[in-house]
Amino acid sequence: MERKMSDEICVNGSCHCGYIKIEAIVKLTEVRACHCTDCQKISGAPLRAIAIAPAEKITITGNPKEYIKIGDSGNKRIQAFCSNCGTQLFATDMEKTVYNLRTGFLEQRNDLKPKQHVFTQSSVPWLWMK
C-alpha cells in the first residue's frame, strides 16, 4: 500500500509468530490511547494505543481468532488475536467497517503518537504523575 496523503501513513506488521500479517493506511490524526478497563485487562497494561483504519484500507493475511466482547455500553465488538501466539491485533464493529489496530505489533509504532486519550476516567493514577 502506498501513502495517500500527508496525514495518512501506510503501516504494516505481523503477530509475534508471523502467522498473521496486516497492512493498512491510517490517519495520523486517528491514533488514540485508550484507558478503558477492557483495554487494560485484555492488554495486561495500563492503556492500549490504537490506530484506526477503515475496512477499505486494510489487508489481513492469515486468519485471526475472533471473539465477541460486550462492552459496558452494551455494544458488541469483535476482538481479534493470533491463535498461535496470542498477539492482540485489532477490535472492530460487528459489520467490520472500521478497525482499531493495536499499534504494538506495527512496524511504524514509533511514528504513531496518540493524538487523543480516551476513557481517561479509568486510567491508573500513577500514569499522570510527574
Side-chain angles (χ1 to χ4, degrees), residues 14-28:
S14 64
C15 62
H16 195 260
C17 71
Y19 172 64
I20 298 172
K21 295 175 179 46
I22 296 179
E23 289 184 1
I25 296 173
V26 300
K27 287 187 176 183
L28 292 172

Side-chain angles (χ1 to χ4, degrees), residues 8 12 30 50 62 83 90-91 97 109 115 121:
E8 292 183 330
N12 66 287
E30 294 293 320
I50 60 168
S83 62
F90 60 82
T97 61
R109 63 187 158 269
K115 301 294 187 260
Q121 69 275 14

Side-chain angles (χ1 to χ4, degrees), residues 6-57:
S6 62
D7 72 331
E8 292 183 330
I9 183 173
C10 183
V11 296
N12 66 287
S14 64
C15 62
H16 195 260
C17 71
Y19 172 64
I20 298 172
K21 295 175 179 46
I22 296 179
E23 289 184 1
I25 296 173
V26 300
K27 287 187 176 183
L28 292 172
T29 56
E30 294 293 320
V31 179
R32 299 182 181 137
C34 185
H35 299 263
C36 79
T37 54
D38 280 345
C39 281
Q40 291 173 8
K41 191 169 197 170
I42 200 167
S43 69
L47 60 90
R48 182 161 48 183
I50 60 168
I52 300 172
E56 63 272 9
K57 294 187 178 186

